[in-house]
Amino acid sequence: MKYYRIPLLTFLVGLIICINGVKLYAQSTGHAPVRVAVAGIAHGHSTWIFGKKATSDIYVVGIYETDQELVEVYSKRFNLDKNLFYNDLEKMLDQVKPEGVMAFNPSSEHLSIVKACAPRGIHVMVEKPLATTVKDARQMETLAKKYNIHLLTNYETSWYPTTEKTYQLVNDSNFLGNIKKVIFHTGHEGARNIEANKFFFRWLTDPVKNGGGALTDFGCYGANVMTYLAKGESPVSVMASTRQFKPEIYPRVDDEATIIVNYPSSQCIIQASWNWPFNRKDMEVYGQTGYIIAENDTLMMLRNKQTKLAQTRKVTLNDVAVYDNPFSYFAGVIRRKINVPQFGTYSLENNIMVVRILEAARQSAKTGKIVYIKNK
């Protein structure tokens, strides 16, 4: 038997080719984690990607953030390598070459992320809402379609089993009949009284960066789920009333909002608040023959003319096909395992409608008049 001595350089090159080949094979079979970068971490929900909602479906290859104090806080809190951080977005994208970007920056800056990512063919998921103005939302839509990227928006309620189960029951004409009224309660004690850090609070209470106060922060949830339930049907009109119960805390934005969205044959009422004693995200759906009350992410109360008495049901991930975190969903879309349904809660079509509803609500609250929605 003969033994051959392979030069070290030749061996290392071969090993690298082998490793890259394995990576390429893994990617082609959809088993490799998706390379994602994070654009901004000033949103309080950015902790999900470094903490409890983290998933093996993705791995973070870069973090863009210009606030050095915030970088210091997060690097220590989550034990993050300082080499992950960049203060230049385009430099980060070109160096780490992510497949997707998760944007946790102020909502008014989402457009800038799409402008940088779309021409590079990088998919984007932003934290809710999609944008603060219809003009920005339309520009983002144009870029996403031109460069053929996915542009998704994440909402906590998109992970709720009760959200998907409600959608299924709404589409079961034997249970509910046609929707007549939907009521959303979304809110909490207020940004100052919860986990919101000073970096988050600073822009969340800025009328430009956030596009408003509670109206935007929590009104978007109801607009998003209602658009899903209505299968993208355009509202006829929007009317809104806002209050400022705590001007000493929120001097520039509303902290209470009620939005009435009228459709051709139904009505939606969205109650958004930073003044409630407890956090809540629930909805009531009333149809011709029954009602659905989703009390939280897993608990529902159902009643129709067949059941007669109200029935409480617990719905889990075993009962409905829904992802329990946005990162696995994003990875699945990028890997083409998931086809985003038209007007689904993450979809671009849905979230453009959300921005249209919120912009009309702000206009109505400012003028005291009903704002009519053009069907386009």
Side-chain angles (χ1 to χ4, degrees), residues 199-231:
F199 308 99
F200 187 21
F201 185 85
R202 196 157 51 206
W203 73 259
L204 190 65
T205 56
D206 185 307
V208 175
K209 290 183 179 294
N210 189 40
L215 182 150
T216 304
D217 186 33
F218 279 114
C220 61
Y221 286 100
N224 175 251
V225 176
M226 184 62 192
T227 301
Y228 184 39
L229 298 180
K231 299 179 182 178

Side-chain angles (χ1 to χ4, degrees), residues 189-202:
E189 305 93 314
R192 176 61 64 83
N193 299 318
I194 58 166
E195 77 283 354
N197 55 52
K198 67 177 182 179
F199 308 99
F200 187 21
F201 185 85
R202 196 157 51 206

Side-chain angles (χ1 to χ4, degrees), residues 17-256:
I17 292 172
C18 179
I19 292 171
N20 286 336
V22 171
K23 287 182 178 179
L24 289 172
Y25 172 77
Q27 290 175 359
S28 68
T29 55
H31 295 300
V34 172
R35 295 169 54 85
V36 301
V38 179
I41 53 176
H43 198 298
H45 293 176
S46 66
T47 57
W48 291 336
I49 201 167
F50 305 117
K52 63 181 180 179
K53 287 296 177 184
T55 170
S56 59
D57 293 320
I58 64 166
Y59 69 101
V60 176
V61 294
I63 303 169
Y64 164 68
E65 179 55 60
T66 58
D67 188 325
Q68 290 306 304
E69 183 184 359
L70 183 53
V71 169
E72 289 293 330
V73 170
Y74 266 58
S75 61
K76 291 179 181 178
R77 179 179 177 184
F78 296 103
N79 194 28
L80 299 171
D81 188 338
K82 287 286 188 68
N83 291 324
L84 278 174
F85 289 91
Y86 293 78
N87 59 16
D88 185 309
L89 176 61
E90 296 199 358
K91 180 180 179 181
M92 178 188 73
L93 296 177
D94 291 337
Q95 287 193 2
V96 305
K97 300 187 183 305
E99 299 169 83
V101 163
M102 304 283 304
F104 290 102
N105 57 340
S107 302
S108 63
E109 298 171 13
H110 287 169
L111 174 58
S112 65
I113 305 302
V114 178
K115 282 182 175 179
C117 291
R120 291 172 168 83
I122 300 170
H123 307 289
V124 178
M125 176 181 276
V126 302
E127 187 59 24
K128 60 83 184 173
L130 173 67
T132 56
T133 67
V134 174
K135 180 180 178 182
D136 280 6
R138 291 298 188 191
Q139 286 187 59
M140 294 164 75
E141 176 189 35
T142 298
L143 287 165
K145 290 182 176 179
K146 178 179 179 180
Y147 293 103
N148 195 31
I149 67 163
H150 293 289
L151 176 53
L152 309 181
T153 304
N154 172 54
Y155 294 80
E156 179 185 344
T157 43
S158 296
W159 327 332
Y160 285 11
T162 49
T163 298
E164 187 59 28
K165 189 62 181 179
T166 298
Y167 179 78
Q168 292 176 4
L169 290 171
V170 164
N171 281 278
D172 180 0
S173 59
N174 294 323
F175 183 83
L176 194 70
N178 294 329
I179 291 178
K180 291 303 174 186
K181 185 182 289 289
V182 182
I183 304 171
F184 293 93
H185 306 100
T186 50
H188 55 35
E189 305 93 314
R192 176 61 64 83
N193 299 318
I194 58 166
E195 77 283 354
N197 55 52
K198 67 177 182 179
F199 308 99
F200 187 21
F201 185 85
R202 196 157 51 206
W203 73 259
L204 190 65
T205 56
D206 185 307
V208 175
K209 290 183 179 294
N210 189 40
L215 182 150
T216 304
D217 186 33
F218 279 114
C220 61
Y221 286 100
N224 175 251
V225 176
M226 184 62 192
T227 301
Y228 184 39
L229 298 180
K231 299 179 182 178
E233 181 180 33
S234 179
V236 174
S237 65
V238 176
M239 181 170 57
S241 174
T242 58
R243 296 292 301 273
Q244 206 177 31
F245 289 131
K246 300 174 182 175
E248 70 282 5
I249 300 176
Y250 314 110
R252 297 188 292 166
V253 293
D254 63 277
D255 52 52
E256 193 78 27

Side-chain angles (χ1 to χ4, degrees), residues 271-285:
Q271 299 187 59
S273 178
W274 283 348
N275 292 298
W276 288 346
F278 307 104
N279 175 44
R280 65 185 296 191
K281 292 185 180 74
D282 57 68
M283 63 177 161
E284 305 169 20
V285 183

